[in-house]
Amino acid sequence: MATKQERYQYRKDRSRGHLLATGAHRPRLSVYRSLKYIYAQIIDDKTHSTLVSATTLSAELNGKYEASGKSIEAAKALGAVIAKKALEKGITEVMFDRGGRVYHGRIKALADSAREAGLKF
Protein backbone atom coordinates (compact mmCIF):
# COMPACT_ATOMS: atom_id res chain seq x y z
CA MET A 1 0.00 0.00 0.00
CA ALA A 2 1.30 3.42 -0.95
CA THR A 3 1.94 6.00 1.73
CA LYS A 4 0.11 9.31 1.84
CA GLN A 5 3.18 11.12 0.46
CA GLU A 6 3.49 8.64 -2.44
CA ARG A 7 -0.18 9.10 -3.37
CA TYR A 8 0.26 12.89 -3.29
CA GLN A 9 3.37 12.66 -5.49
CA TYR A 10 1.48 10.46 -7.96
CA ARG A 11 -1.37 12.98 -8.22
CA LYS A 12 1.09 15.86 -8.61
CA ASP A 13 3.06 14.11 -11.36
CA ARG A 14 -0.11 13.10 -13.18
CA SER A 15 -1.63 16.59 -13.21
CA ARG A 16 1.68 18.21 -14.20
CA GLY A 17 2.15 15.62 -16.96
CA HIS A 18 -1.21 16.53 -18.45
CA LEU A 19 -0.24 20.20 -18.47
CA LEU A 20 3.14 19.67 -20.09
CA ALA A 21 1.78 17.20 -22.66
CA THR A 22 -0.59 19.75 -24.18
CA GLY A 23 2.26 21.14 -26.27
CA ALA A 24 1.13 24.76 -25.97
CA HIS A 25 4.00 26.74 -24.51
CA ARG A 26 2.60 28.94 -21.82
CA PRO A 27 4.07 29.65 -18.41
CA ARG A 28 2.76 27.52 -15.57
CA LEU A 29 1.05 29.05 -12.51
CA SER A 30 2.11 26.62 -9.80
CA VAL A 31 0.35 26.77 -6.44
CA TYR A 32 1.59 25.18 -3.23
CA ARG A 33 -0.54 25.17 -0.10
CA SER A 34 0.94 24.35 3.27
CA LEU A 35 -0.92 24.27 6.54
CA LYS A 36 -0.03 27.90 7.28
CA TYR A 37 0.71 29.64 3.98
CA ILE A 38 0.06 29.63 0.25
CA TYR A 39 2.77 30.07 -2.35
CA ALA A 40 2.24 30.85 -6.03
CA GLN A 41 4.78 31.21 -8.80
CA ILE A 42 4.71 31.49 -12.56
CA ILE A 43 7.33 29.23 -14.09
CA ASP A 44 8.73 29.08 -17.62
CA ASP A 45 9.36 25.36 -18.18
CA LYS A 46 11.55 25.90 -21.24
CA THR A 47 14.15 27.95 -19.38
CA HIS A 48 13.37 26.39 -15.97
CA SER A 49 13.09 29.79 -14.35
CA THR A 50 10.60 31.51 -12.10
CA LEU A 51 9.16 34.59 -13.77
CA VAL A 52 6.89 35.87 -10.98
CA SER A 53 6.29 34.73 -7.42
CA ALA A 54 4.10 35.72 -4.50
CA THR A 55 3.19 34.27 -1.14
CA THR A 56 0.97 35.07 1.80
CA LEU A 57 4.24 35.89 3.61
CA SER A 58 5.11 38.66 1.13
CA ALA A 59 5.08 42.31 2.13
CA GLU A 60 1.84 43.00 0.22
CA LEU A 61 -0.15 40.51 2.31
CA ASN A 62 1.83 39.86 5.49
CA GLY A 63 -0.21 40.62 8.58
CA LYS A 64 -3.33 41.78 6.72
CA TYR A 65 -5.26 38.60 7.42
CA GLU A 66 -5.83 37.23 10.90
CA ALA A 67 -5.27 33.61 9.96
CA SER A 68 -2.43 34.46 7.55
CA GLY A 69 -2.52 31.93 4.72
CA LYS A 70 -5.22 29.79 6.23
CA SER A 71 -8.13 31.83 4.94
CA ILE A 72 -9.93 31.99 1.62
CA GLU A 73 -9.71 35.79 1.77
CA ALA A 74 -5.91 35.57 1.87
CA ALA A 75 -5.98 33.18 -1.10
CA LYS A 76 -8.16 35.62 -3.06
CA ALA A 77 -5.77 38.47 -2.28
CA LEU A 78 -2.79 36.33 -3.31
CA GLY A 79 -4.48 35.52 -6.63
CA ALA A 80 -4.93 39.21 -7.32
CA VAL A 81 -1.31 39.98 -6.40
CA ILE A 82 0.16 37.24 -8.61
CA ALA A 83 -2.06 38.31 -11.53
CA LYS A 84 -1.04 41.95 -11.13
CA LYS A 85 2.66 41.05 -11.08
CA ALA A 86 2.23 38.79 -14.13
CA LEU A 87 0.41 41.44 -16.14
CA GLU A 88 3.15 43.96 -15.30
CA LYS A 89 5.67 41.53 -16.83
CA GLY A 90 3.50 41.03 -19.92
CA ILE A 91 2.22 37.54 -19.04
CA THR A 92 -1.46 37.19 -19.92
CA GLU A 93 -1.96 33.42 -20.39
CA VAL A 94 -0.86 30.66 -18.03
CA MET A 95 -1.54 27.00 -17.32
CA PHE A 96 -2.87 26.38 -13.80
CA ASP A 97 -0.93 23.74 -11.85
CA ARG A 98 -2.77 22.79 -8.68
CA GLY A 99 0.13 20.55 -7.63
CA GLY A 100 -1.84 17.44 -6.74
CA ARG A 101 -4.25 19.28 -4.48
CA VAL A 102 -8.00 19.21 -4.95
CA TYR A 103 -9.41 22.18 -6.91
CA HIS A 104 -11.45 23.36 -3.96
CA GLY A 105 -11.35 25.94 -1.19
CA ARG A 106 -8.20 28.07 -1.09
CA ILE A 107 -6.83 26.69 -4.38
CA LYS A 108 -10.08 27.49 -6.20
CA ALA A 109 -10.31 30.94 -4.56
CA LEU A 110 -6.79 31.80 -5.72
CA ALA A 111 -7.53 30.66 -9.28
CA ASP A 112 -10.83 32.54 -9.48
CA SER A 113 -9.23 35.72 -8.16
CA ALA A 114 -6.37 35.50 -10.66
CA ARG A 115 -8.91 35.08 -13.48
CA GLU A 116 -10.88 38.10 -12.28
CA ALA A 117 -7.68 40.16 -12.18
CA GLY A 118 -6.97 39.45 -15.84
CA LEU A 119 -5.01 36.18 -16.19
CA LYS A 120 -6.32 33.67 -18.74
CA PHE A 121 -6.10 29.93 -18.17
Side-chain angles (χ1 to χ4, degrees):
M1 176 160 212
T3 65
K4 187 175 183 179
Q5 183 63 32
E6 290 170 339
R7 290 191 312 263
Y8 168 71
Q9 187 66 39
Y10 174 75
R11 286 191 312 270
K12 186 169 85 170
D13 292 343
R14 186 181 60 199
S15 67
R16 189 160 300 153
H18 287 300
L19 288 176
L20 299 178
T22 59
H25 177 66
R26 290 182 293 180
R28 176 169 49 100
L29 172 58
S30 178
V31 177
Y32 175 72
R33 175 187 59 86
S34 70
L35 291 176
K36 284 185 160 186
Y37 307 108
I38 303 172
Y39 306 86
Q41 57 184 349
I42 297 180
I43 303 165
D44 184 4
D45 288 315
K46 278 193 174 178
T47 61
H48 302 289
S49 61
T50 300
L51 305 173
V52 178
S53 66
T55 177
T56 50
L57 288 168
S58 62
E60 298 97 350
L61 301 176
N62 195 10
K64 291 187 180 178
Y65 297 95
E66 186 177 318
S68 186
K70 290 186 173 188
S71 67
I72 288 180
E73 292 81 22
K76 287 179 184 178
L78 181 62
V81 167
I82 194 80
K84 180 183 168 211
K85 286 183 175 184
L87 292 173
E88 286 173 358
K89 288 232 177 174
I91 302 167
T92 57
E93 289 190 18
V94 295
M95 298 183 291
F96 187 73
D97 179 12
R98 58 189 172 85
R101 303 287 184 189
V102 177
Y103 187 78
H104 182 276
R106 290 179 280 165
I107 302 291
K108 184 178 185 296
L110 187 144
D112 290 342
S113 178
R115 274 193 200 101
E116 288 173 9
L119 277 182
K120 296 177 187 150
F121 47 98

